[in-house]
Amino acid sequence: MFSRRSDFGREKNRLTLAHHKRLRAGDAICDLTLSNPTTEGLLELPGHSAALKALADARGRHYRPHALGLPEAREALAERLADWGPRPEAHRLVLTASTSEAYAFAMQLFCDAGDGLLIPRPSYPLLDGLCQLEAVRPQPYALAYDGRWHLQPSALRAALDASSRAAVAIHPNNPSGSLFDAEGAAALAALELPVISDEVFAPYPLEAARCSALRELLPASSLCLTLHGLSKLGALPQLKLSSIVLSGPDAQVEEALERLESIADNFLSVSTPVQLALPAILEQLPQTVSTIGERVRGNLRRLKSRCEGSAVSVLHAEAGWSAVLRLPALLDDEGWALDLLEHAATLVQPGYFYDLQGGPYLVVSLLPRSRDFEGGIDRLLERVNHHCRPEAKGSGPSGRQPGIR
Ligand SMILES: Cc1ncc(COP(=O)(O)O)c(C=O)c1O
């Protein structure tokens, strides 16, 4: 009765089951996976109240359908996006109701059922689901790590076949925090396929001085769709507003815009109030970006100083909200995550969630409050010490943490 593309499997993974069990038991868990910036008490973002008030603009009583987005909203966003790349022309900017929707529109623009889409590995898991819904075949190309993540042109070519229609670049990538360099951009351009560049984390450099837009590194002959979203840019995921900037050869951009207008016209999913409020929302953005930037950079510093000299290494991350940790190969990704949940009441994500291979790897969010973050990392290091020093077993924090049921 049901379609194959709506079959996402109904089994929960072992970590989710174990986490739910502990929550049901009322246990206090230190959550190092928190990445929802609106989570109660996680961040003080005072600009948000003013931005949300703007949603009450009386003009929002009238429905003004505009498939690509209201011109004044696109103009205001184009102005702000100049902070993270060349200023886009407002008429080459399309509003969508989320970055996920922007991906879906890009897939509908380039792919028919069964076509291939090149996707970096590791990357965040949502992409596989989006491909499944559009009946598109994900073609993973591996990024390699040798002290820094980078694209190996041979890996990209190996993933390519006659069905490939476009290449996704996540720049900065989640969770690896990696950016494409000039060599990576040249390898992408050499495919002569459209590029879909997800730059939602660009405002948050960690070890990079700044994140250039990928379209700055691509030749003028590359058709590129650059994705941004208020969920990361403004820490306002609940407003459901993202965008696609089109760049490349004029004729291709104009045809892509016309087709995107038809695609978007079938949904008209971006609400009028959020578009009217956009100028006010964008005003508070620098403050939000700076508050979150300080939080994630501070937590990365703490993480690196705590892990120094330990058996845990922190992988180099140019930008973003996450860090990838490499642990001793005494357990696998899932084994470490379950061990930390069971014995240290700390929740982390196993690397396999993101298709990180060759670990064991764990992924932690850099967004939690600093004291919670430090506490969680200390517990993680205690567990690693416990496993690495067999003589210490039976003493120290091998059981549950004091004060945690
Ligand atoms: C790299 C990346 N792109 C896009 C998204 C989804 O963004 P949105 O909430 O705007 O759909 C996420 C979500 O975490 C992400 O990590």
Side-chain angles (χ1 to χ4, degrees), residues 371-392:
R371 64 172 187 281
D372 297 340
F373 184 78
E374 285 177 330
I377 296 302
D378 287 346
R379 293 179 193 190
L380 181 150
L381 290 171
E382 281 172 24
R383 275 318 284 169
V384 171
N385 278 340
H386 170 77
H387 282 281
C388 288
R389 299 199 335 265
E391 74 278 6

Side-chain angles (χ1 to χ4, degrees), residues 190-261:
L191 301 176
E192 298 186 0
L193 291 175
V195 175
I196 302 163
S197 181
D198 174 343
E199 304 192 6
V200 298
F201 285 111
Y204 302 102
L206 292 167
E207 318 220 29
R210 77 177 274 272
C211 306
S212 313
L214 183 58
R215 63 184 184 279
E216 291 181 84
L217 302 177
L218 291 171
S221 56
S222 287
L223 178 63
C224 181
L225 272 59
T226 306
L227 278 37
H228 286 283
L230 278 191
S231 64
K232 307 294 182 288
L233 200 63
L236 288 161
Q238 71 275 41
L239 295 194
K240 308 306 295 177
L241 189 96
S242 293
S243 63
I244 305 174
V245 172
L246 287 102
S247 57
D250 288 344
Q252 290 180 11
V253 167
E254 293 312 319
E255 179 162 1
L257 268 172
E258 273 174 33
R259 286 173 180 253
L260 283 170
E261 185 165 17

Side-chain angles (χ1 to χ4, degrees), residues 98-100 103 124 126 170 174 198 200-201 229 231-232 242:
S98 63
T99 313
S100 295
Y103 270 117
Y124 80 114
L126 185 63
I170 309 183
N174 175 15
D198 174 343
V200 298
F201 285 111
S231 64
K232 307 294 182 288
S242 293

Side-chain angles (χ1 to χ4, degrees), residues 88-230:
E89 291 172 65
H91 77 279
R92 292 183 162 197
L93 203 158
V94 180
L95 302 186
T96 62
S98 63
T99 313
S100 295
E101 188 180 68
Y103 270 117
F105 285 5
M107 290 185 208
Q108 290 159 18
L109 178 66
F110 297 123
C111 304
D112 288 308
D115 284 345
L117 184 68
L118 294 157
I119 285 177
R121 190 186 70 204
S123 67
Y124 80 114
L126 185 63
L127 268 172
D128 283 336
L130 294 173
C131 283
Q132 182 176 324
L133 286 171
E134 300 301 331
V136 165
R137 254 176 344 100
Q139 299 179 304
Y141 61 92
L143 303 176
Y145 187 78
D146 60 3
R148 289 181 109 85
W149 290 97
H150 54 84
L151 170 73
Q152 284 175 310
S154 58
L156 190 59
R157 285 193 300 272
L160 181 79
D161 67 22
S163 74
S164 309
R165 292 287 170 265
V168 171
I170 309 183
H171 176 88
N173 197 356
N174 175 15
S176 63
S178 53
L179 290 167
F180 281 80
D181 57 13
E183 196 193 353
L188 276 179
L191 301 176
E192 298 186 0
L193 291 175
V195 175
I196 302 163
S197 181
D198 174 343
E199 304 192 6
V200 298
F201 285 111
Y204 302 102
L206 292 167
E207 318 220 29
R210 77 177 274 272
C211 306
S212 313
L214 183 58
R215 63 184 184 279
E216 291 181 84
L217 302 177
L218 291 171
S221 56
S222 287
L223 178 63
C224 181
L225 272 59
T226 306
L227 278 37
H228 286 283
L230 278 191

